[in-house]
């Protein structure tokens, strides 16, 4: 399936512009290919690697047909959520997505994110990382 130029200009361009305004990511960044984003997850520059991780979260939202609702929400000094999204397909659900550009994500990080659901009202927590998940606290 290929979009027509009319669909690109009347539907896709306004959507990308809206998401770019909400996420503070440029339309060019949001239009990058999935392969480009994945390749930068191993970049030596921590800023580029972190941005790629956030773009991966945006790609995950697109691929799962979620609706972007909010970017980088600071929750009353209790923590930060990178992305909030929602699904209203079969059952409405709110998603809380946290990007971690670290070698390990332990149970303390997961506990904090689950605790934040009481503030954000999220039903689902997704943690996206460039590292590994471990159940051991250090």
């Amino acid at each position: 399936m290929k979009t027509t130029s009319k669909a690109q200009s009347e539907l896709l361009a306004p959507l990308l512009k809206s998401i770019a305004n909400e996420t503070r990511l440029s339309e060019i960044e949001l239009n990058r290919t999935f392969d480009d984003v994945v390749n930068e997850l191993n970049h030596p520059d921590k800023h580029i690697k972190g941005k790629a991780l956030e773009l991966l979260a945006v790609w995950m939202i697109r691929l799962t047909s979620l609706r972007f609702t909010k970017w980088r929400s600071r929750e009353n000094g209790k923590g930060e959520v990178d992305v909030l999204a929602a699904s209203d397909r079969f059952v409405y659900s709110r998603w809380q997505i946290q990007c971690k550009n670290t070698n390990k994500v332990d149970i303390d990080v997961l506990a904090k994110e689950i605790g934040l659901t009481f503030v954000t009202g999220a039903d689902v927590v997704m943690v996206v990382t460039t590292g590994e998940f471990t159940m051991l606290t250090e």
Side-chain angles (χ1 to χ4, degrees):
M1 187 163 116
K2 187 173 180 174
T3 58
T4 64
S5 59
K6 183 177 179 178
Q8 288 176 358
S9 65
E10 293 180 15
L11 298 173
L12 190 57
L15 175 65
L16 284 176
K17 187 171 185 158
S18 173
I19 293 173
N21 288 338
E22 285 290 322
T23 61
R24 289 179 236 122
L25 294 169
S26 73
E27 292 175 54
I28 293 169
E29 288 174 310
L30 289 170
N31 229 356
R32 294 181 57 215
T33 67
F34 183 76
D35 289 338
D36 285 346
V37 171
V38 170
N39 287 335
E40 286 193 350
L41 290 173
N42 293 317
H43 199 281
D45 184 314
K46 190 174 181 174
H47 176 74
I48 292 171
K49 185 177 179 179
K51 183 74 84 169
L53 189 59
E54 292 170 348
L55 287 169
L56 179 62
V58 172
W59 264 99
M60 292 173 134
I61 289 170
R62 289 176 178 165
L63 293 171
T64 55
S65 300
L66 294 173
R67 183 174 34 84
F68 175 87
T69 56
K70 198 171 186 182
W71 188 256
R72 287 195 189 102
S73 174
R74 295 214 182 268
E75 301 301 332
N76 301 329
K78 296 178 178 75
E80 177 186 276
V81 176
D82 288 320
V83 182
L84 292 172
S87 170
D88 49 11
R89 294 196 132 213
F90 297 111
V91 176
Y92 181 79
S93 61
R94 283 181 224 121
W95 288 57
Q96 173 180 312
I97 304 168
Q98 180 65 44
C99 299
K100 289 300 206 183
N101 189 13
T102 58
N103 292 331
K104 292 183 181 181
V105 175
D106 62 28
I107 198 164
D108 293 338
V109 171
L110 300 177
K112 178 181 172 189
E113 294 306 314
I114 292 167
L116 279 172
T117 63
F118 292 100
V119 178
T120 65
D123 306 301
V124 180
V125 174
M126 179 190 303
V127 177
V128 183
T129 184
T130 53
E132 297 179 0
F133 291 95
T134 175
M135 296 310 278
L136 302 173
T137 56
E138 295 175 11

